[in-house]
Structures are given as structure tokens and as C-alpha cells.
Amino acid sequence: MYCNNGRGDYVNPCISIGASKHVDLLKANLRRQFCILEDEGIKVEVSELPAGKYTFLSCNLGNKCCPPSNGEKEYKLFQNYVASVVSDVILNKWESVLLNDLIRENYYYFNEEEKQRIFQHTVEKLRMKNGEMGYRVHNQRRNQIYQRLNEYLSNHDHLVVDGFIRFRLKEYISELKDAIDNAVDDFLIEREYGEFIQLLRYFVEIQEPRIDQVHIIVKDNGYFGLYDKNKKRLNHEEIDDFVLNMIESDINYEDLLLSALISIAPREIVFHYKEKSYPKNTLKMVQDVFVGRVQLCNSCDWCEKET
């Protein structure tokens, strides 16, 4: 903003930006954007001043004194460019640091590998919000930061990025915390699933295969049927009685299907299905338990007849 030097002269406006990290990127991006301003006849000079753990970038608009009435439009454009650059650096660089710091502070009891998986889940959460993905979600968060910066720079010419994030972007930080909390829930579910799959794999590995090949017919209504290679429904000789009693007719519960498959521990499993009845979750679980034993089929005569 413009200010009087005490002698009746107006000195040129300056915005000072302090940061503890990513200073080189800030400086490079500011200079790149100020080159665009210079093409429009607005010159900005950038100087650097270290101050303890912070480095300050002083962005001076022009090199001649002028009254405020002659430069409000130029200053507003200058301010917008500064806000835009800082917004991009916060979102594209600072955000990862913020996420890792928040995970360490609030979920310190996880080990480093688990924290990294939580971080990855969080990034995925932030990329998808309200069913939207990619550029639109990214742009929403950037605009939120940009607006807060522009509001601040309208009344201040001294910005410390670290403090601004902490005290002026509380809504943004809250959004990051919510994403982390949701990511932790996903991680815990994923971990429990992994432990469950390991247990089922153990049961399969200690079983002697009771049949070479099992065909699973997925019907249009989502039900399953179990057959041998000769298209005969499996009977008491192939499946334990307690399992067979639950699946005398077509089954539609994946835990019952897994129980039947683990009971007979087939060397090969063939899934027959139509696209509209594709059992994605069930198939994934069967593939995770019977690693390397599962084949897919959706175009044979058996598929067309049975499904």
C-alpha cells in the first residue's frame, strides 16, 4: 500500500513476504509473474533479506514516487499477482507439509509406514470432494486460499506465510484435519481387511484341495451358484455339510461363498458373469484369498446359458 515518508512525498508500495520454507520457489514464481506485469508497464523489483529462520522477499512496485490516486489500479493488480503466487505455493507445496505435521501431531501412535499410508489416503480424499475430482476440487481449495490472502493484503503489506496459514486459514486447516480423520478410518478398515485376508489365506494353504476346478455362476439377480467342471452343482461330497446346508439353493452372501470355497480349497476357480452382474467386491476378496487361482469369463456358452 502507499504511504507518506513524512516530507509530503509518497513512497512506492511494497509487499513483504516472509517464509520459513519454499522461499526459492516463491521468489522464482513471483519474478515469473512480475515479468507479465512488466509487459503491461508495471515494474516490480524483488529483494531478499534473511531474518533468522525466515527469509523475507520485498516486492517493490515501481521506482518513482507518486500519489495514491495515480496507482490504485496498478497496486490492486500487483496485489492479485502476489496473492495468486502465494496461493499456489501453499496448495502445491505447503499442503503436504501441513498434512504430515497434522498426522504426526494427532496420530503419533502409528508407525512411520502407517503414517505414510494415512497420508496417501488423505491426498486421495482431498482429490475427491462431493463426488467431484481433479482440477475442480483443486481449484476450489486454491480459490479459498486466494480470497483469504487478497482480503489480508488489502489491509496489510507484511505477510508471514507460516503465521498466515496458522491463524488466517483455520477453515482450510479444518478441512485438512477432516480429510485426515476420514483417511484414518479408511486405513483402519483396510488394515482389518488385510488381517482377515491373511487368516483366510492360511486356512486355504493348510487345506488339501478337494476338487481341481470350481465354476461360480453369477446370476443377474446377484446370486451365486457353485458347479464342477462338468456343470454339476456341487454336492455333499465336495462341500462340508454345515456349509452346504446354507447354500442348498443359490447364495448371495460373500461370506457363505468364501466358506464354501475355503471348505473345498479348489486348485482353480472360474467366475462366470455378465457385465451388469459383475460382483466387483466379492471377486476382489476371492482373488485376494485364492491368489493366482482365479480366472474370469463372461463370454462362453455357459455364461450365456446360466446367467
Side-chain angles (χ1 to χ4, degrees):
M1 62 182 62
Y2 287 92
C3 59
N4 193 291
N5 65 4
R7 299 191 303 270
D9 299 325
Y10 287 94
V11 297
N12 292 306
C14 169
I15 294 178
S16 178
I17 306 168
S20 64
K21 56 180 70 72
H22 306 306
V23 176
D24 289 340
L25 181 62
L26 272 170
K27 181 168 61 176
N29 287 359
L30 284 168
R31 285 178 170 168
R32 186 179 302 112
Q33 291 300 310
F34 292 157
C35 284
I36 299 174
L37 279 177
E38 190 168 354
D39 291 340
E40 298 180 21
I42 303 173
K43 184 177 181 180
V44 182
E45 296 178 350
V46 180
S47 58
E48 183 176 331
L49 177 65
K53 70 174 185 178
Y54 296 100
T55 299
F56 286 88
L57 301 175
S58 182
C59 306
N60 297 280
L61 180 59
N63 54 12
K64 293 182 180 180
C65 295
C66 57
S69 59
N70 293 344
E72 288 297 336
K73 184 177 180 180
E74 288 79 1
Y75 181 79
K76 187 60 180 178
L77 186 59
F78 164 56
Q79 173 189 310
N80 291 344
Y81 271 64
V82 171
S84 179
V85 168
V86 177
S87 298
D88 286 337
V89 173
I90 289 176
L91 188 60
N92 296 324
K93 292 296 181 180
W94 235 285
E95 186 167 277
S96 294
V97 176
L98 291 170
L99 289 175
N100 280 312
D101 287 346
L102 290 169
I103 291 170
R104 280 196 299 269
E105 291 171 8
N106 298 297
Y107 294 99
Y108 55 86
Y109 43 84
F110 289 111
N111 63 39
E112 290 305 314
E113 181 181 351
E114 291 170 335
K115 290 174 185 173
Q116 183 57 32
R117 288 170 64 184
I118 291 170
F119 171 81
Q120 292 169 352
H121 277 298
T122 305
V123 171
E124 292 173 3
K125 290 286 183 185
L126 290 170
R127 287 176 180 169
M128 182 174 69
K129 182 180 179 183
N130 298 327
E132 299 176 344
M133 296 187 67
Y135 173 77
R136 182 177 296 180
V137 174
H138 182 277
N139 202 43
Q140 286 174 348
R141 293 208 311 287
R142 182 194 181 279
N143 287 341
Q144 179 186 19
I145 298 169
Y146 174 78
Q147 289 173 6
R148 296 292 180 272
L149 277 165
N150 239 331
E151 292 170 4
Y152 180 83
L153 292 174
S154 294
N155 298 292
H156 304 82
D157 56 11
H158 189 80
L159 169 70
V160 178
V161 180
D162 306 63
F164 178 82
I165 293 172
R166 181 177 180 181
F167 297 109
R168 302 276 181 162
L169 292 181
K170 291 184 178 180
E171 183 180 343
Y172 169 65
I173 296 298
S174 179
E175 183 179 346
L176 297 185
K177 288 180 178 178
D178 288 343
I180 292 172
D181 291 342
N182 291 331
V184 170
D185 291 340
D186 287 350
F187 167 74
L188 292 175
I189 293 172
E190 180 185 87
R191 186 170 68 179
E192 291 173 3
Y193 174 82
E195 293 170 351
F196 177 61
I197 292 298
Q198 287 295 332
L199 179 62
L200 296 184
R201 283 180 186 171
Y202 170 75
F203 288 147
V204 170
E205 290 170 0
I206 64 175
Q207 287 258 87
E208 186 68 27
R210 298 170 61 182
I211 190 171
D212 287 334
Q213 189 179 69
V214 168
H215 292 262
I216 301 175
I217 307 300
V218 184
K219 309 244 174 148
D220 287 343
N221 57 10
Y223 283 73
F224 300 94
L226 299 180
Y227 300 84
D228 64 17
K229 62 182 179 181
N230 296 315
K231 301 184 181 181
K232 291 179 55 180
R233 181 180 287 276
L234 297 186
N235 56 39
H236 287 76
E237 296 179 3
E238 289 86 16
I239 306 177
D240 289 342
D241 287 346
F242 83 97
V243 175
L244 189 64
N245 288 335
M246 293 186 290
I247 57 171
E248 283 292 314
S249 59
D250 295 329
I251 61 176
N252 66 338
Y253 300 102
E254 65 181 23
D255 56 341
L256 299 183
L257 175 61
L258 279 169
S259 296
L261 292 174
I262 292 172
S263 172
I264 56 180
R267 289 187 171 89
E268 184 179 16
I269 299 170
V270 182
F271 258 93
H272 298 269
Y273 68 95
K274 289 182 179 179
E275 289 298 332
K276 62 181 178 181
S277 60
Y278 180 64
K280 183 177 179 180
N281 293 333
T282 302
L283 177 58
K284 180 182 184 306
M285 183 171 285
V286 173
Q287 288 175 319
D288 288 343
V289 174
F290 295 87
V291 179
R293 302 192 194 186
V294 182
Q295 295 185 24
L296 302 181
C297 178
N298 66 355
S299 60
C300 70
D301 294 340
W302 201 350
C303 292
E304 294 301 322
K305 179 180 179 181
E306 295 292 340
T307 59

